[in-house]
Amino acid sequence: GAGVSQTPSNKVTEKGKYVELRCDPISGHTALYWYRQSLGQGPEFLIYFQGTGAADDSGLPNDRFFAVRPEGSVSTLKIQRTERGDSAVYLCASSSDAGDYGYTFGSGTRLTVV
Amino acid sequence: GNSVTQMEGPVTLSEEAFLTINCTYTATGYPSLFWYVQYPGEGLQLLLKATKADDKGSNKGFEATYRKETTSFHLEKGSVQVSDSAVYFCALSSPTSGTYKYIFGTGTRLKVLA
């Protein structure tokens, strides 16, 4: 597509529920990234995919967070047993290569855990 | 560890005023430096970048020079417009932590009044 698409744009869920956030990167981009942006903060790195594999998942805060990219295109970020502290904007980005070229970000999914 | 520090906002200016948003960094090795902009309701967009010392990045009238001696990458624009109102993020990537992994500052909100 023309840009990075994230769905849903907003998600409200109850504490303890499971959520999935979807990212559709720019067609042909092999690198995909997830970041989390808490209120008043800059984005923080969660995970980086090169193709289908997670090349670096060191930013995932704990084992409740998991992400997949089974066909090397669309990615899903999965959060189990959500907590109120998970409330944030989850950003996805993609690039044609992992390097110094800059990413293209999606508009994000605003997750609110009540 | 690597970090980015930005001046706190909001910064409020009249149209046609001169803009400076300060950014300093701490990093091992030789990082690449970026400015991203987030317009209301939109995703982060790459504004400009510089990949080595003394490089000047420029775009849409904005400029920033990579100063290794002062570890700074201040954003400047000679004459701001109302349409420049947005949140601006300084960021770095470092070969020692992975060029794909960006460290962002907390962002500086700019308001330009007509």
mmCIF file with all atom_site columns, all heavy atoms in Angstrom, chain A residues 7 18-25 32 34 47 49 65-70 73-79 92:
data_model
loop_
_atom_site.group_PDB
_atom_site.id
_atom_site.type_symbol
_atom_site.label_atom_id
_atom_site.label_alt_id
_atom_site.label_comp_id
_atom_site.label_asym_id
_atom_site.label_entity_id
_atom_site.label_seq_id
_atom_site.pdbx_PDB_ins_code
_atom_site.Cartn_x
_atom_site.Cartn_y
_atom_site.Cartn_z
_atom_site.occupancy
_atom_site.B_iso_or_equiv
_atom_site.pdbx_formal_charge
_atom_site.auth_seq_id
_atom_site.auth_comp_id
_atom_site.auth_asym_id
_atom_site.auth_atom_id
_atom_site.pdbx_PDB_model_num
ATOM 1   N N   . THR A 1 7  ? -4.345 -1.166  12.317 1.00 0.00 ? 7  THR A N   1
ATOM 2   C CA  . THR A 1 7  ? -5.732 -1.332  12.750 1.00 0.00 ? 7  THR A CA  1
ATOM 3   C C   . THR A 1 7  ? -5.796 -2.115  14.051 1.00 0.00 ? 7  THR A C   1
ATOM 4   O O   . THR A 1 7  ? -4.952 -3.002  14.286 1.00 0.00 ? 7  THR A O   1
ATOM 5   C CB  . THR A 1 7  ? -6.558 -2.070  11.679 1.00 0.00 ? 7  THR A CB  1
ATOM 6   O OG1 . THR A 1 7  ? -5.907 -3.299  11.347 1.00 0.00 ? 7  THR A OG1 1
ATOM 7   C CG2 . THR A 1 7  ? -6.737 -1.213  10.442 1.00 0.00 ? 7  THR A CG2 1
ATOM 8   N N   . TYR A 1 18 ? -7.220 -10.220 26.280 1.00 0.00 ? 18 TYR A N   1
ATOM 9   C CA  . TYR A 1 18 ? -6.200 -10.400 25.243 1.00 0.00 ? 18 TYR A CA  1
ATOM 10  C C   . TYR A 1 18 ? -6.511 -9.453  24.076 1.00 0.00 ? 18 TYR A C   1
ATOM 11  O O   . TYR A 1 18 ? -7.667 -9.281  23.715 1.00 0.00 ? 18 TYR A O   1
ATOM 12  C CB  . TYR A 1 18 ? -6.252 -11.858 24.789 1.00 0.00 ? 18 TYR A CB  1
ATOM 13  C CG  . TYR A 1 18 ? -5.494 -12.187 23.533 1.00 0.00 ? 18 TYR A CG  1
ATOM 14  C CD1 . TYR A 1 18 ? -4.128 -12.450 23.570 1.00 0.00 ? 18 TYR A CD1 1
ATOM 15  C CD2 . TYR A 1 18 ? -6.156 -12.275 22.309 1.00 0.00 ? 18 TYR A CD2 1
ATOM 16  C CE1 . TYR A 1 18 ? -3.440 -12.780 22.432 1.00 0.00 ? 18 TYR A CE1 1
ATOM 17  C CE2 . TYR A 1 18 ? -5.467 -12.605 21.156 1.00 0.00 ? 18 TYR A CE2 1
ATOM 18  C CZ  . TYR A 1 18 ? -4.103 -12.864 21.224 1.00 0.00 ? 18 TYR A CZ  1
ATOM 19  O OH  . TYR A 1 18 ? -3.420 -13.196 20.093 1.00 0.00 ? 18 TYR A OH  1
ATOM 20  N N   . VAL A 1 19 ? -5.460 -8.834  23.513 1.00 0.00 ? 19 VAL A N   1
ATOM 21  C CA  . VAL A 1 19 ? -5.668 -7.961  22.357 1.00 0.00 ? 19 VAL A CA  1
ATOM 22  C C   . VAL A 1 19 ? -4.659 -8.263  21.258 1.00 0.00 ? 19 VAL A C   1
ATOM 23  O O   . VAL A 1 19 ? -3.550 -8.739  21.534 1.00 0.00 ? 19 VAL A O   1
ATOM 24  C CB  . VAL A 1 19 ? -5.580 -6.461  22.720 1.00 0.00 ? 19 VAL A CB  1
ATOM 25  C CG1 . VAL A 1 19 ? -6.682 -6.062  23.670 1.00 0.00 ? 19 VAL A CG1 1
ATOM 26  C CG2 . VAL A 1 19 ? -4.208 -6.096  23.242 1.00 0.00 ? 19 VAL A CG2 1
ATOM 27  N N   . GLU A 1 20 ? -5.080 -7.985  20.041 1.00 0.00 ? 20 GLU A N   1
ATOM 28  C CA  . GLU A 1 20 ? -4.196 -8.094  18.888 1.00 0.00 ? 20 GLU A CA  1
ATOM 29  C C   . GLU A 1 20 ? -4.226 -6.778  18.129 1.00 0.00 ? 20 GLU A C   1
ATOM 30  O O   . GLU A 1 20 ? -5.291 -6.230  17.855 1.00 0.00 ? 20 GLU A O   1
ATOM 31  C CB  . GLU A 1 20 ? -4.660 -9.221  17.950 1.00 0.00 ? 20 GLU A CB  1
ATOM 32  C CG  . GLU A 1 20 ? -4.485 -10.606 18.497 1.00 0.00 ? 20 GLU A CG  1
ATOM 33  C CD  . GLU A 1 20 ? -4.746 -11.674 17.443 1.00 0.00 ? 20 GLU A CD  1
ATOM 34  O OE1 . GLU A 1 20 ? -5.246 -11.342 16.349 1.00 0.00 ? 20 GLU A OE1 1
ATOM 35  O OE2 . GLU A 1 20 ? -4.444 -12.855 17.721 1.00 0.00 ? 20 GLU A OE2 1
ATOM 36  N N   . LEU A 1 21 ? -3.047 -6.309  17.775 1.00 0.00 ? 21 LEU A N   1
ATOM 37  C CA  . LEU A 1 21 ? -2.902 -5.083  17.009 1.00 0.00 ? 21 LEU A CA  1
ATOM 38  C C   . LEU A 1 21 ? -2.233 -5.439  15.684 1.00 0.00 ? 21 LEU A C   1
ATOM 39  O O   . LEU A 1 21 ? -1.219 -6.142  15.677 1.00 0.00 ? 21 LEU A O   1
ATOM 40  C CB  . LEU A 1 21 ? -2.050 -4.067  17.783 1.00 0.00 ? 21 LEU A CB  1
ATOM 41  C CG  . LEU A 1 21 ? -2.418 -3.836  19.257 1.00 0.00 ? 21 LEU A CG  1
ATOM 42  C CD1 . LEU A 1 21 ? -1.471 -2.819  19.882 1.00 0.00 ? 21 LEU A CD1 1
ATOM 43  C CD2 . LEU A 1 21 ? -3.858 -3.403  19.411 1.00 0.00 ? 21 LEU A CD2 1
ATOM 44  N N   . ARG A 1 22 ? -2.776 -4.895  14.607 1.00 0.00 ? 22 ARG A N   1
ATOM 45  C CA  . ARG A 1 22 ? -2.311 -5.290  13.280 1.00 0.00 ? 22 ARG A CA  1
ATOM 46  C C   . ARG A 1 22 ? -1.539 -4.178  12.592 1.00 0.00 ? 22 ARG A C   1
ATOM 47  O O   . ARG A 1 22 ? -1.895 -2.999  12.719 1.00 0.00 ? 22 ARG A O   1
ATOM 48  C CB  . ARG A 1 22 ? -3.511 -5.695  12.417 1.00 0.00 ? 22 ARG A CB  1
ATOM 49  C CG  . ARG A 1 22 ? -3.190 -6.053  10.977 1.00 0.00 ? 22 ARG A CG  1
ATOM 50  C CD  . ARG A 1 22 ? -4.462 -6.241  10.178 1.00 0.00 ? 22 ARG A CD  1
ATOM 51  N NE  . ARG A 1 22 ? -4.181 -6.295  8.748  1.00 0.00 ? 22 ARG A NE  1
ATOM 52  C CZ  . ARG A 1 22 ? -4.198 -7.412  8.018  1.00 0.00 ? 22 ARG A CZ  1
ATOM 53  N NH1 . ARG A 1 22 ? -4.491 -8.573  8.585  1.00 0.00 ? 22 ARG A NH1 1
ATOM 54  N NH2 . ARG A 1 22 ? -3.936 -7.367  6.722  1.00 0.00 ? 22 ARG A NH2 1
ATOM 55  N N   . CYS A 1 23 ? -0.515 -4.579  11.847 1.00 0.00 ? 23 CYS A N   1
ATOM 56  C CA  . CYS A 1 23 ? 0.274  -3.630  11.068 1.00 0.00 ? 23 CYS A CA  1
ATOM 57  C C   . CYS A 1 23 ? 0.453  -4.154  9.652  1.00 0.00 ? 23 CYS A C   1
ATOM 58  O O   . CYS A 1 23 ? 0.906  -5.282  9.460  1.00 0.00 ? 23 CYS A O   1
ATOM 59  C CB  . CYS A 1 23 ? 1.635  -3.412  11.709 1.00 0.00 ? 23 CYS A CB  1
ATOM 60  S SG  . CYS A 1 23 ? 2.754  -2.398  10.692 1.00 0.00 ? 23 CYS A SG  1
ATOM 61  N N   . ASP A 1 24 ? 0.108  -3.321  8.682  1.00 0.00 ? 24 ASP A N   1
ATOM 62  C CA  . ASP A 1 24 ? 0.278  -3.656  7.276  1.00 0.00 ? 24 ASP A CA  1
ATOM 63  C C   . ASP A 1 24 ? 1.337  -2.710  6.711  1.00 0.00 ? 24 ASP A C   1
ATOM 64  O O   . ASP A 1 24 ? 1.073  -1.525  6.516  1.00 0.00 ? 24 ASP A O   1
ATOM 65  C CB  . ASP A 1 24 ? -1.053 -3.477  6.550  1.00 0.00 ? 24 ASP A CB  1
ATOM 66  C CG  . ASP A 1 24 ? -1.124 -4.285  5.276  1.00 0.00 ? 24 ASP A CG  1
ATOM 67  O OD1 . ASP A 1 24 ? -0.056 -4.620  4.732  1.00 0.00 ? 24 ASP A OD1 1
ATOM 68  O OD2 . ASP A 1 24 ? -2.242 -4.580  4.819  1.00 0.00 ? 24 ASP A OD2 1
ATOM 69  N N   . PRO A 1 25 ? 2.556  -3.202  6.469  1.00 0.00 ? 25 PRO A N   1
ATOM 70  C CA  . PRO A 1 25 ? 3.641  -2.289  6.080  1.00 0.00 ? 25 PRO A CA  1
ATOM 71  C C   . PRO A 1 25 ? 3.550  -1.875  4.613  1.00 0.00 ? 25 PRO A C   1
ATOM 72  O O   . PRO A 1 25 ? 2.706  -2.374  3.863  1.00 0.00 ? 25 PRO A O   1
ATOM 73  C CB  . PRO A 1 25 ? 4.889  -3.136  6.316  1.00 0.00 ? 25 PRO A CB  1
ATOM 74  C CG  . PRO A 1 25 ? 4.436  -4.539  6.036  1.00 0.00 ? 25 PRO A CG  1
ATOM 75  C CD  . PRO A 1 25 ? 3.007  -4.584  6.544  1.00 0.00 ? 25 PRO A CD  1
ATOM 76  N N   . LEU A 1 32 ? 10.416 -4.416  9.574  1.00 0.00 ? 32 LEU A N   1
ATOM 77  C CA  . LEU A 1 32 ? 9.216  -3.926  10.261 1.00 0.00 ? 32 LEU A CA  1
ATOM 78  C C   . LEU A 1 32 ? 9.535  -3.768  11.733 1.00 0.00 ? 32 LEU A C   1
ATOM 79  O O   . LEU A 1 32 ? 10.249 -4.604  12.315 1.00 0.00 ? 32 LEU A O   1
ATOM 80  C CB  . LEU A 1 32 ? 8.063  -4.905  10.055 1.00 0.00 ? 32 LEU A CB  1
ATOM 81  C CG  . LEU A 1 32 ? 6.685  -4.505  10.626 1.00 0.00 ? 32 LEU A CG  1
ATOM 82  C CD1 . LEU A 1 32 ? 5.573  -4.991  9.712  1.00 0.00 ? 32 LEU A CD1 1
ATOM 83  C CD2 . LEU A 1 32 ? 6.489  -5.001  12.032 1.00 0.00 ? 32 LEU A CD2 1
ATOM 84  N N   . TRP A 1 34 ? 8.064  -2.419  15.753 1.00 0.00 ? 34 TRP A N   1
ATOM 85  C CA  . TRP A 1 34 ? 7.011  -1.981  16.671 1.00 0.00 ? 34 TRP A CA  1
ATOM 86  C C   . TRP A 1 34 ? 7.639  -1.119  17.756 1.00 0.00 ? 34 TRP A C   1
ATOM 87  O O   . TRP A 1 34 ? 8.701  -1.458  18.303 1.00 0.00 ? 34 TRP A O   1
ATOM 88  C CB  . TRP A 1 34 ? 6.322  -3.179  17.334 1.00 0.00 ? 34 TRP A CB  1
ATOM 89  C CG  . TRP A 1 34 ? 5.359  -3.929  16.461 1.00 0.00 ? 34 TRP A CG  1
ATOM 90  C CD1 . TRP A 1 34 ? 5.594  -5.078  15.765 1.00 0.00 ? 34 TRP A CD1 1
ATOM 91  C CD2 . TRP A 1 34 ? 3.986  -3.604  16.225 1.00 0.00 ? 34 TRP A CD2 1
ATOM 92  N NE1 . TRP A 1 34 ? 4.465  -5.485  15.096 1.00 0.00 ? 34 TRP A NE1 1
ATOM 93  C CE2 . TRP A 1 34 ? 3.456  -4.594  15.366 1.00 0.00 ? 34 TRP A CE2 1
ATOM 94  C CE3 . TRP A 1 34 ? 3.147  -2.578  16.645 1.00 0.00 ? 34 TRP A CE3 1
ATOM 95  C CZ2 . TRP A 1 34 ? 2.130  -4.587  14.926 1.00 0.00 ? 34 TRP A CZ2 1
ATOM 96  C CZ3 . TRP A 1 34 ? 1.835  -2.565  16.207 1.00 0.00 ? 34 TRP A CZ3 1
ATOM 97  C CH2 . TRP A 1 34 ? 1.338  -3.567  15.354 1.00 0.00 ? 34 TRP A CH2 1
ATOM 98  N N   . ILE A 1 47 ? 10.294 -4.286  19.081 1.00 0.00 ? 47 ILE A N   1
ATOM 99  C CA  . ILE A 1 47 ? 10.742 -5.452  18.331 1.00 0.00 ? 47 ILE A CA  1
ATOM 100 C C   . ILE A 1 47 ? 10.998 -5.061  16.891 1.00 0.00 ? 47 ILE A C   1
ATOM 101 O O   . ILE A 1 47 ? 10.378 -4.133  16.356 1.00 0.00 ? 47 ILE A O   1
ATOM 102 C CB  . ILE A 1 47 ? 9.699  -6.586  18.419 1.00 0.00 ? 47 ILE A CB  1
ATOM 103 C CG1 . ILE A 1 47 ? 10.208 -7.889  17.785 1.00 0.00 ? 47 ILE A CG1 1
ATOM 104 C CG2 . ILE A 1 47 ? 8.371  -6.159  17.796 1.00 0.00 ? 47 ILE A CG2 1
ATOM 105 C CD1 . ILE A 1 47 ? 9.322  -9.099  18.099 1.00 0.00 ? 47 ILE A CD1 1
ATOM 106 N N   . PHE A 1 49 ? 11.575 -6.890  12.992 1.00 0.00 ? 49 PHE A N   1
ATOM 107 C CA  . PHE A 1 49 ? 11.519 -8.048  12.106 1.00 0.00 ? 49 PHE A CA  1
ATOM 108 C C   . PHE A 1 49 ? 12.304 -7.757  10.831 1.00 0.00 ? 49 PHE A C   1
ATOM 109 O O   . PHE A 1 49 ? 12.194 -6.682  10.246 1.00 0.00 ? 49 PHE A O   1
ATOM 110 C CB  . PHE A 1 49 ? 10.075 -8.339  11.673 1.00 0.00 ? 49 PHE A CB  1
ATOM 111 C CG  . PHE A 1 49 ? 9.225  -8.955  12.728 1.00 0.00 ? 49 PHE A CG  1
ATOM 112 C CD1 . PHE A 1 49 ? 8.476  -8.168  13.588 1.00 0.00 ? 49 PHE A CD1 1
ATOM 113 C CD2 . PHE A 1 49 ? 9.158  -10.332 12.869 1.00 0.00 ? 49 PHE A CD2 1
ATOM 114 C CE1 . PHE A 1 49 ? 7.678  -8.733  14.571 1.00 0.00 ? 49 PHE A CE1 1
ATOM 115 C CE2 . PHE A 1 49 ? 8.359  -10.908 13.842 1.00 0.00 ? 49 PHE A CE2 1
ATOM 116 C CZ  . PHE A 1 49 ? 7.621  -10.108 14.688 1.00 0.00 ? 49 PHE A CZ  1
ATOM 117 N N   . PHE A 1 65 ? 3.827  -10.004 26.042 1.00 0.00 ? 65 PHE A N   1
ATOM 118 C CA  . PHE A 1 65 ? 3.885  -9.381  24.721 1.00 0.00 ? 65 PHE A CA  1
ATOM 119 C C   . PHE A 1 65 ? 4.537  -10.341 23.733 1.00 0.00 ? 65 PHE A C   1
ATOM 120 O O   . PHE A 1 65 ? 5.591  -10.923 24.018 1.00 0.00 ? 65 PHE A O   1
ATOM 121 C CB  . PHE A 1 65 ? 4.704  -8.093  24.778 1.00 0.00 ? 65 PHE A CB  1
ATOM 122 C CG  . PHE A 1 65 ? 4.024  -6.955  25.473 1.00 0.00 ? 65 PHE A CG  1
ATOM 123 C CD1 . PHE A 1 65 ? 3.920  -6.944  26.866 1.00 0.00 ? 65 PHE A CD1 1
ATOM 124 C CD2 . PHE A 1 65 ? 3.498  -5.898  24.761 1.00 0.00 ? 65 PHE A CD2 1
ATOM 125 C CE1 . PHE A 1 65 ? 3.292  -5.890  27.512 1.00 0.00 ? 65 PHE A CE1 1
ATOM 126 C CE2 . PHE A 1 65 ? 2.879  -4.836  25.400 1.00 0.00 ? 65 PHE A CE2 1
ATOM 127 C CZ  . PHE A 1 65 ? 2.775  -4.837  26.783 1.00 0.00 ? 65 PHE A CZ  1
ATOM 128 N N   . PHE A 1 66 ? 3.910  -10.443 22.562 1.00 0.00 ? 66 PHE A N   1
ATOM 129 C CA  . PHE A 1 66 ? 4.446  -11.309 21.528 1.00 0.00 ? 66 PHE A CA  1
ATOM 130 C C   . PHE A 1 66 ? 4.076  -10.727 20.172 1.00 0.00 ? 66 PHE A C   1
ATOM 131 O O   . PHE A 1 66 ? 3.024  -10.096 20.031 1.00 0.00 ? 66 PHE A O   1
ATOM 132 C CB  . PHE A 1 66 ? 3.854  -12.722 21.679 1.00 0.00 ? 66 PHE A CB  1
ATOM 133 C CG  . PHE A 1 66 ? 4.509  -13.742 20.810 1.00 0.00 ? 66 PHE A CG  1
ATOM 134 C CD1 . PHE A 1 66 ? 5.801  -14.172 21.070 1.00 0.00 ? 66 PHE A CD1 1
ATOM 135 C CD2 . PHE A 1 66 ? 3.832  -14.297 19.733 1.00 0.00 ? 66 PHE A CD2 1
ATOM 136 C CE1 . PHE A 1 66 ? 6.409  -15.121 20.271 1.00 0.00 ? 66 PHE A CE1 1
ATOM 137 C CE2 . PHE A 1 66 ? 4.430  -15.247 18.922 1.00 0.00 ? 66 PHE A CE2 1
ATOM 138 C CZ  . PHE A 1 66 ? 5.721  -15.654 19.195 1.00 0.00 ? 66 PHE A CZ  1
ATOM 139 N N   . ALA A 1 67 ? 4.922  -10.899 19.180 1.00 0.00 ? 67 ALA A N   1
ATOM 140 C CA  . ALA A 1 67 ? 4.607  -10.390 17.843 1.00 0.00 ? 67 ALA A CA  1
ATOM 141 C C   . ALA A 1 67 ? 4.997  -11.427 16.807 1.00 0.00 ? 67 ALA A C   1
ATOM 142 O O   . ALA A 1 67 ? 5.963  -12.177 17.003 1.00 0.00 ? 67 ALA A O   1
ATOM 143 C CB  . ALA A 1 67 ? 5.330  -9.080  17.574 1.00 0.00 ? 67 ALA A CB  1
ATOM 144 N N   . VAL A 1 68 ? 4.244  -11.450 15.722 1.00 0.00 ? 68 VAL A N   1
ATOM 145 C CA  . VAL A 1 68 ? 4.503  -12.390 14.633 1.00 0.00 ? 68 VAL A CA  1
ATOM 146 C C   . VAL A 1 68 ? 4.436  -11.672 13.304 1.00 0.00 ? 68 VAL A C   1
ATOM 147 O O   . VAL A 1 68 ? 3.784  -10.622 13.173 1.00 0.00 ? 68 VAL A O   1
ATOM 148 C CB  . VAL A 1 68 ? 3.507  -13.570 14.655 1.00 0.00 ? 68 VAL A CB  1
ATOM 149 C CG1 . VAL A 1 68 ? 3.677  -14.395 15.923 1.00 0.00 ? 68 VAL A CG1 1
ATOM 150 C CG2 . VAL A 1 68 ? 2.074  -13.083 14.513 1.00 0.00 ? 68 VAL A CG2 1
ATOM 151 N N   . ARG A 1 69 ? 5.070  -12.295 12.319 1.00 0.00 ? 69 ARG A N   1
ATOM 152 C CA  . ARG A 1 69 ? 5.032  -11.778 10.939 1.00 0.00 ? 69 ARG A CA  1
ATOM 153 C C   . ARG A 1 69 ? 5.193  -12.995 10.016 1.00 0.00 ? 69 ARG A C   1
ATOM 154 O O   . ARG A 1 69 ? 6.217  -13.163 9.376  1.00 0.00 ? 69 ARG A O   1
ATOM 155 C CB  . ARG A 1 69 ? 6.156  -10.767 10.733 1.00 0.00 ? 69 ARG A CB  1
ATOM 156 C CG  . ARG A 1 69 ? 5.987  -9.935  9.470  1.00 0.00 ? 69 ARG A CG  1
ATOM 157 C CD  . ARG A 1 69 ? 7.195  -9.035  9.247  1.00 0.00 ? 69 ARG A CD  1
ATOM 158 N NE  . ARG A 1 69 ? 6.970  -8.163  8.102  1.00 0.00 ? 69 ARG A NE  1
ATOM 159 C CZ  . ARG A 1 69 ? 7.959  -7.559  7.441  1.00 0.00 ? 69 ARG A CZ  1
ATOM 160 N NH1 . ARG A 1 69 ? 9.225  -7.746  7.793  1.00 0.00 ? 69 ARG A NH1 1
ATOM 161 N NH2 . ARG A 1 69 ? 7.677  -6.776  6.425  1.00 0.00 ? 69 ARG A NH2 1
ATOM 162 N N   . PRO A 1 70 ? 4.203  -13.845 9.967  1.00 0.00 ? 70 PRO A N   1
ATOM 163 C CA  . PRO A 1 70 ? 4.344  -15.187 9.382  1.00 0.00 ? 70 PRO A CA  1
ATOM 164 C C   . PRO A 1 70 ? 4.697  -15.222 7.905  1.00 0.00 ? 70 PRO A C   1
ATOM 165 O O   . PRO A 1 70 ? 5.355  -16.155 7.461  1.00 0.00 ? 70 PRO A O   1
ATOM 166 C CB  . PRO A 1 70 ? 2.976  -15.834 9.639  1.00 0.00 ? 70 PRO A CB  1
ATOM 167 C CG  . PRO A 1 70 ? 2.048  -14.690 9.876  1.00 0.00 ? 70 PRO A CG  1
ATOM 168 C CD  . PRO A 1 70 ? 2.859  -13.597 10.489 1.00 0.00 ? 70 PRO A CD  1
ATOM 169 N N   . SER A 1 73 ? 5.070  -9.988  5.716  1.00 0.00 ? 73 SER A N   1
ATOM 170 C CA  . SER A 1 73 ? 4.395  -8.740  5.361  1.00 0.00 ? 73 SER A CA  1
ATOM 171 C C   . SER A 1 73 ? 3.651  -8.223  6.591  1.00 0.00 ? 73 SER A C   1
ATOM 172 O O   . SER A 1 73 ? 4.258  -7.571  7.435  1.00 0.00 ? 73 SER A O   1
ATOM 173 C CB  . SER A 1 73 ? 3.452  -8.960  4.181  1.00 0.00 ? 73 SER A CB  1
ATOM 174 O OG  . SER A 1 73 ? 2.756  -7.767  3.877  1.00 0.00 ? 73 SER A OG  1
ATOM 175 N N   . VAL A 1 74 ? 2.374  -8.562  6.725  1.00 0.00 ? 74 VAL A N   1
ATOM 176 C CA  . VAL A 1 74 ? 1.566  -8.116  7.859  1.00 0.00 ? 74 VAL A CA  1
ATOM 177 C C   . VAL A 1 74 ? 2.143  -8.656  9.164  1.00 0.00 ? 74 VAL A C   1
ATOM 178 O O   . VAL A 1 74 ? 2.611  -9.802  9.238  1.00 0.00 ? 74 VAL A O   1
ATOM 179 C CB  . VAL A 1 74 ? 0.114  -8.588  7.687  1.00 0.00 ? 74 VAL A CB  1
ATOM 180 C CG1 . VAL A 1 74 ? -0.697 -8.344  8.950  1.00 0.00 ? 74 VAL A CG1 1
ATOM 181 C CG2 . VAL A 1 74 ? -0.517 -7.891  6.492  1.00 0.00 ? 74 VAL A CG2 1
ATOM 182 N N   . SER A 1 75 ? 2.091  -7.809  10.185 1.00 0.00 ? 75 SER A N   1
ATOM 183 C CA  . SER A 1 75 ? 2.544  -8.231  11.514 1.00 0.00 ? 75 SER A CA  1
ATOM 184 C C   . SER A 1 75 ? 1.423  -8.003  12.520 1.00 0.00 ? 75 SER A C   1
ATOM 185 O O   . SER A 1 75 ? 0.608  -7.084  12.371 1.00 0.00 ? 75 SER A O   1
ATOM 186 C CB  . SER A 1 75 ? 3.776  -7.444  11.924 1.00 0.00 ? 75 SER A CB  1
ATOM 187 O OG  . SER A 1 75 ? 4.172  -7.767  13.257 1.00 0.00 ? 75 SER A OG  1
ATOM 188 N N   . THR A 1 76 ? 1.404  -8.845  13.541 1.00 0.00 ? 76 THR A N   1
ATOM 189 C CA  . THR A 1 76 ? 0.433  -8.709  14.620 1.00 0.00 ? 76 THR A CA  1
ATOM 190 C C   . THR A 1 76 ? 1.173  -8.658  15.947 1.00 0.00 ? 76 THR A C   1
ATOM 191 O O   . THR A 1 76 ? 2.013  -9.531  16.220 1.00 0.00 ? 76 THR A O   1
ATOM 192 C CB  . THR A 1 76 ? -0.559 -9.890  14.632 1.00 0.00 ? 76 THR A CB  1
ATOM 193 O OG1 . THR A 1 76 ? -1.183 -10.003 13.351 1.00 0.00 ? 76 THR A OG1 1
ATOM 194 C CG2 . THR A 1 76 ? -1.634 -9.660  15.690 1.00 0.00 ? 76 THR A CG2 1
ATOM 195 N N   . LEU A 1 77 ? 0.876  -7.653  16.730 1.00 0.00 ? 77 LEU A N   1
ATOM 196 C CA  . LEU A 1 77 ? 1.391  -7.558  18.095 1.00 0.00 ? 77 LEU A CA  1
ATOM 197 C C   . LEU A 1 77 ? 0.292  -8.073  19.017 1.00 0.00 ? 77 LEU A C   1
ATOM 198 O O   . LEU A 1 77 ? -0.853 -7.616  18.950 1.00 0.00 ? 77 LEU A O   1
ATOM 199 C CB  . LEU A 1 77 ? 1.741  -6.112  18.441 1.00 0.00 ? 77 LEU A CB  1
ATOM 200 C CG  . LEU A 1 77 ? 2.252  -5.838  19.862 1.00 0.00 ? 77 LEU A CG  1
ATOM 201 C CD1 . LEU A 1 77 ? 3.608  -6.517  20.088 1.00 0.00 ? 77 LEU A CD1 1
ATOM 202 C CD2 . LEU A 1 77 ? 2.390  -4.334  20.096 1.00 0.00 ? 77 LEU A CD2 1
ATOM 203 N N   . LYS A 1 78 ? 0.663  -9.015  19.861 1.00 0.00 ? 78 LYS A N   1
ATOM 204 C CA  . LYS A 1 78 ? -0.320 -9.676  20.726 1.00 0.00 ? 78 LYS A CA  1
ATOM 205 C C   . LYS A 1 78 ? 0.016  -9.390  22.179 1.00 0.00 ? 78 LYS A C   1
ATOM 206 O O   . LYS A 1 78 ? 1.188  -9.521  22.575 1.00 0.00 ? 78 LYS A O   1
ATOM 207 C CB  . LYS A 1 78 ? -0.314 -11.180 20.474 1.00 0.00 ? 78 LYS A CB  1
ATOM 208 C CG  . LYS A 1 78 ? -0.462 -11.542 18.996 1.00 0.00 ? 78 LYS A CG  1
ATOM 209 C CD  . LYS A 1 78 ? -0.463 -13.035 18.763 1.00 0.00 ? 78 LYS A CD  1
ATOM 210 C CE  . LYS A 1 78 ? -0.600 -13.338 17.266 1.00 0.00 ? 78 LYS A CE  1
ATOM 211 N NZ  . LYS A 1 78 ? -0.933 -14.745 17.025 1.00 0.00 ? 78 LYS A NZ  1
ATOM 212 N N   . ILE A 1 79 ? -0.962 -9.007  22.948 1.00 0.00 ? 79 ILE A N   1
ATOM 213 C CA  . ILE A 1 79 ? -0.758 -8.722  24.359 1.00 0.00 ? 79 ILE A CA  1
ATOM 214 C C   . ILE A 1 79 ? -1.748 -9.555  25.162 1.00 0.00 ? 79 ILE A C   1
ATOM 215 O O   . ILE A 1 79 ? -2.964 -9.437  24.996 1.00 0.00 ? 79 ILE A O   1
ATOM 216 C CB  . ILE A 1 79 ? -0.951 -7.225  24.698 1.00 0.00 ? 79 ILE A CB  1
ATOM 217 C CG1 . ILE A 1 79 ? -0.144 -6.335  23.735 1.00 0.00 ? 79 ILE A CG1 1
ATOM 218 C CG2 . ILE A 1 79 ? -0.525 -6.956  26.143 1.00 0.00 ? 79 ILE A CG2 1
ATOM 219 C CD1 . ILE A 1 79 ? -0.393 -4.850  23.910 1.00 0.00 ? 79 ILE A CD1 1
ATOM 220 N N   . CYS A 1 92 ? 3.750  1.199   14.526 1.00 0.00 ? 92 CYS A N   1
ATOM 221 C CA  . CYS A 1 92 ? 4.431  0.281   13.632 1.00 0.00 ? 92 CYS A CA  1
ATOM 222 C C   . CYS A 1 92 ? 5.147  1.103   12.568 1.00 0.00 ? 92 CYS A C   1
ATOM 223 O O   . CYS A 1 92 ? 4.665  2.180   12.162 1.00 0.00 ? 92 CYS A O   1
ATOM 224 C CB  . CYS A 1 92 ? 3.422  -0.657  12.985 1.00 0.00 ? 92 CYS A CB  1
ATOM 225 S SG  . CYS A 1 92 ? 4.128  -1.813  11.788 1.00 0.00 ? 92 CYS A SG  1
#
